[in-house]
Amino acid sequence: SLTLTAGCTDRVDTLVAPGTAPAAAPSRTLRSTTTADPQLRHRASGLCITVPNAATADGTGLTLATCAGGTAQSWRTLPVGTAGPITVYAGSKCLTLQYGVTRADDRLTIRGCTTGAGTQTWTSNADGSFRNPFGRCMTVVGIASAGTALTATTCTAGLAAQQFETVAPGPAPAPTPTP
């Protein structure tokens, strides 16, 4: 039998034929380790950083899309002031500079994570920006709308195009009407 209990646990016992006594077999309790990671939302537009079509291929460019939850919008970041990777797909892919240090307006993509790679290292800042070791920040260039690509450009303090926030997974709540 399968019994679901509170706290995201399940208990698996041995199946027994009707009319027979169950054997004294130990049961095992499994705990879920799949906690949804937060979404990264662009503050000015309210749109979330997304891997288009939930693609997993290295080099897939990142875009903005309506916040809907799901694995393609679930990002792991670090606390403010801490440097490290920003990951998606439960940590299997890292947010990456496509060309590294050679371009001032580098496209942001996903790629398999490489420990210590500067192209995959970001520092989370109090103003909502994410800065890489090359002095560039995650940026929405142009009009922020669904499908807009993300790039890394020179960091500019207070620039709305470079400000993001983590939000609980799932669709954004409907705006509250003002009287």
Side-chain angles (χ1 to χ4, degrees):
S1 70
L2 178 65
T3 307
L4 296 177
T5 57
C8 294
T9 63
D10 54 42
R11 183 180 168 119
V12 179
D13 293 308
T14 307
L15 293 174
V16 270
T20 63
S27 64
R28 192 173 113 186
T29 301
L30 304 172
R31 298 209 179 270
S32 172
T33 57
T34 55
T35 303
D37 291 315
Q39 296 172 120
L40 272 175
R41 184 171 61 197
H42 180 239
R43 286 182 182 166
S45 69
L47 298 170
C48 286
I49 298 176
T50 303
V51 181
N53 303 313
T56 58
D58 285 353
T60 299
L62 302 177
T63 63
L64 292 178
T66 300
C67 299
T71 58
Q73 291 186 341
S74 295
W75 297 91
R76 291 182 185 169
T77 62
L78 297 168
V80 171
T82 305
I86 297 173
T87 64
V88 67
Y89 300 131
S92 67
K93 296 287 182 176
C94 284
L95 188 148
T96 307
L97 290 173
Q98 183 175 9
Y99 300 108
V101 297
T102 60
R103 291 191 47 178
D105 61 344
D106 208 346
R107 182 172 163 229
L108 297 183
T109 64
I110 58 167
R111 186 163 301 283
C113 299
T114 304
T115 303
T119 57
Q120 295 179 340
T121 301
W122 300 89
T123 300
S124 174
N125 299 301
D127 67 354
S129 65
F130 291 90
R131 182 186 189 100
N132 68 27
F134 312 117
R136 295 196 207 110
C137 285
M138 186 183 332
T139 308
V140 175
V141 176
I143 297 170
S145 60
T148 300
L150 279 99
T151 62
T153 62
T154 302
C155 298
T156 304
L159 184 64
Q162 295 177 342
Q163 294 178 346
F164 298 83
E165 60 191 349
T166 57
V167 294
T176 305
T178 54

